[in-house]
Amino acid sequence: MKYSLPILLILNFSSLFSQSKENTLALNDTWFGGESESNGKPVIIRGRDHLKNFIDSKEYNEYIELVWKMERETESGIPTPDENFFMGKVEDALINDLETDLQSVLAIVHTNDNIRSWIFYTKSVPEFLKRINKTLSAFEKLPIEITNDEDVNWELYTGILKGYHLEPK
């Protein structure tokens, strides 16, 4: 005599149709701020210290630094109120175009000695450059230089945080 046993099969469909990492990454928009001094001039820094999930994702392996040499140098090395306002408009446009789908993430903003730099970590340098070219074309020519480097372990970012006695969260 043959017996048939019912088989109970439990599937975890969520693992079959799991979301991509970019959909599970969440950007915490909490910023830290710090001030110090270098060569008698103030250093102002702000950044996000809640980016550990982006570090751990291993998807953001390069950083891009945008460096803005201020048009009107000041004795303190800090931008004039008008230039600071305009830099804020440019920064907002960059964030809007680069962070909407988390293609890139702004990690650190550093101001000192008539220079402001923005450090973004990105999934793709070519995509980043394509997007900022489009974004920056809405403005007249800007005094910005762009550099990039590989930083799989986010050593630049974590080094800056350690300088302010912070750890990525």
Side-chain angles (χ1 to χ4, degrees):
M1 176 185 270
K2 263 185 163 176
Y3 290 99
S4 286
L5 294 175
I7 297 175
L8 180 60
L9 183 60
I10 300 173
L11 293 175
N12 182 349
F13 286 104
S14 65
S15 66
L16 293 175
F17 305 105
S18 65
Q19 295 179 349
S20 69
K21 283 185 182 179
E22 72 183 299
N23 290 336
T24 60
L25 286 174
L27 182 60
N28 181 323
D29 206 24
T30 303
W31 292 75
F32 72 89
E35 290 186 37
S36 60
E37 192 174 282
S38 176
N39 297 323
K41 294 185 179 183
V43 176
I44 300 172
I45 189 162
R46 61 188 163 86
R48 290 179 166 131
D49 58 349
H50 290 82
L51 295 177
K52 188 165 181 353
N53 55 339
F54 288 87
I55 296 169
D56 293 344
S57 77
K58 301 293 185 195
E59 292 183 53
Y60 298 81
N61 296 324
E62 294 184 83
Y63 73 85
I64 296 177
E65 185 172 15
L66 301 164
V67 177
W68 181 314
K69 177 86 170 113
M70 294 173 203
E71 291 181 10
R72 286 184 247 143
E73 291 191 8
T74 62
E75 192 172 313
S76 66
I78 302 302
T80 64
D82 288 343
E83 192 164 21
N84 192 51
F85 179 77
F86 185 61
M87 287 175 166
K89 287 176 68 171
V90 172
E91 180 179 315
D92 290 345
L94 289 168
I95 288 171
N96 186 53
D97 288 350
L98 294 165
E99 290 188 349
T100 302
D101 61 355
L102 301 179
Q103 191 279 326
S104 299
V105 177
L106 179 58
I108 301 287
V109 181
H110 181 269
T111 305
N112 173 247
D113 203 16
N114 295 298
I115 291 174
R116 175 164 298 162
S117 64
W118 293 268
I119 299 171
F120 286 85
Y121 279 82
T122 187
K123 292 180 178 182
S124 165
V125 172
E127 179 64 21
F128 180 96
L129 294 174
K130 178 179 149 188
R131 290 184 187 200
I132 68 160
N133 280 330
K134 180 181 176 233
T135 303
L136 298 180
S137 69
F139 300 95
E140 290 187 29
K141 186 177 179 186
L142 300 172
I144 293 177
E145 293 181 18
I146 301 169
T147 60
N148 77 290
D149 202 359
E150 187 173 284
D151 191 6
V152 175
N153 296 316
W154 291 50
E155 292 173 13
L156 176 63
Y157 169 78
T158 56
I160 291 170
L161 261 59
K162 285 179 184 173
Y164 290 88
H165 308 289
L166 298 168
E167 293 283 331
K169 299 175 190 170

